[in-house]
Amino acid sequence: MASPNASPSTFPTKRMKPCVAVHGGAWKIPDQLKQGSADGCKDAASIAYRILEQGGSCIDAVTAAISCLEDNPCFDAGRGSVLNEKREIEMHAMIMRGDTCDVGGCIGLTTVKNPIKAARVALEEVCCLFYSFTCAFGHTNTPLRSTREKRASDCMRSVNNKSH
């Protein structure tokens, strides 16, 4: 039996088998989208599983799985986004680290291919919960007011350029 004062690194470690669950939203899926939705969820789960199986982080697995869903027109995300009342695409995303409960999110995205990647930038690079990129990119008359907002805007432009 290990000593109660032993450090966690002295305990034997057992590699756990990953478990991934993906859902594509809660709505009445039209018949013509049912197979594509099921296949899209399986694809996203497979991508996340492979990342975890190869030792990748949970946040990497989640980002990749959601990006897969966003790239699939069967889902109301990214490529398949439903138009707002102005008949424009306006996307939102949020991501959370389970180990720290840190959260990053973005609202009002109109030009980014994968909103989840923008949310991850907000999580890892910007010290705020949500970031409105409509304001950051000058689509309103609100100027950038701080170095943090400028940095976030630069990060978002970088994500946008890499996504296309």
Side-chain angles (χ1 to χ4, degrees), residues 9-163:
S9 62
T10 61
F11 291 107
T13 59
K14 180 180 177 187
R15 183 157 162 83
M16 296 174 61
K17 188 173 181 178
C19 179
V20 176
V22 173
H23 77 82
W27 65 304
K28 185 175 180 341
I29 301 171
D31 289 339
Q32 66 270 23
L33 294 179
K34 283 185 179 178
Q35 189 60 51
S37 295
D39 292 345
C41 287
K42 287 177 190 173
D43 291 345
S46 294
I47 288 168
Y49 186 87
R50 280 193 303 273
I51 289 170
L52 295 172
E53 195 172 45
Q54 295 170 2
S57 71
C58 292
I59 204 83
D60 288 339
V62 167
T63 303
I66 299 305
S67 292
C68 179
L69 296 176
E70 290 172 340
D71 291 342
N72 186 323
C74 289
F75 301 102
D76 178 17
R79 186 171 172 214
S81 293
V82 174
L83 303 179
N84 65 17
E85 67 275 357
K86 294 179 183 176
R87 304 204 42 81
E88 301 168 336
I89 290 178
E90 183 179 80
M91 300 171 288
H92 320 293
M94 184 178 219
I95 192 167
M96 179 176 146
R97 290 184 55 96
D99 58 344
T100 64
C101 293
D102 291 339
V103 178
C106 51
I107 58 175
L109 298 176
T110 58
T111 60
V112 173
K113 179 182 176 195
N114 295 109
I116 196 66
K117 291 178 182 177
R120 187 166 177 182
V121 168
L123 170 68
E124 295 176 343
E125 303 293 331
V126 184
C127 299
C128 61
L129 174 61
F130 276 109
Y131 197 79
S132 172
F133 293 98
T134 302
C135 293
F137 286 114
H139 293 276
T140 68
N141 293 327
T142 306
L144 295 176
R145 287 188 285 273
S146 72
T147 305
R148 182 183 298 159
E149 288 173 331
K150 169 88 170 83
R151 185 169 153 222
S153 181
D154 291 345
C155 287
M156 249 336 283
R157 283 189 183 96
S158 172
V159 167
N160 193 27
N161 291 336
K162 290 175 187 173
S163 293

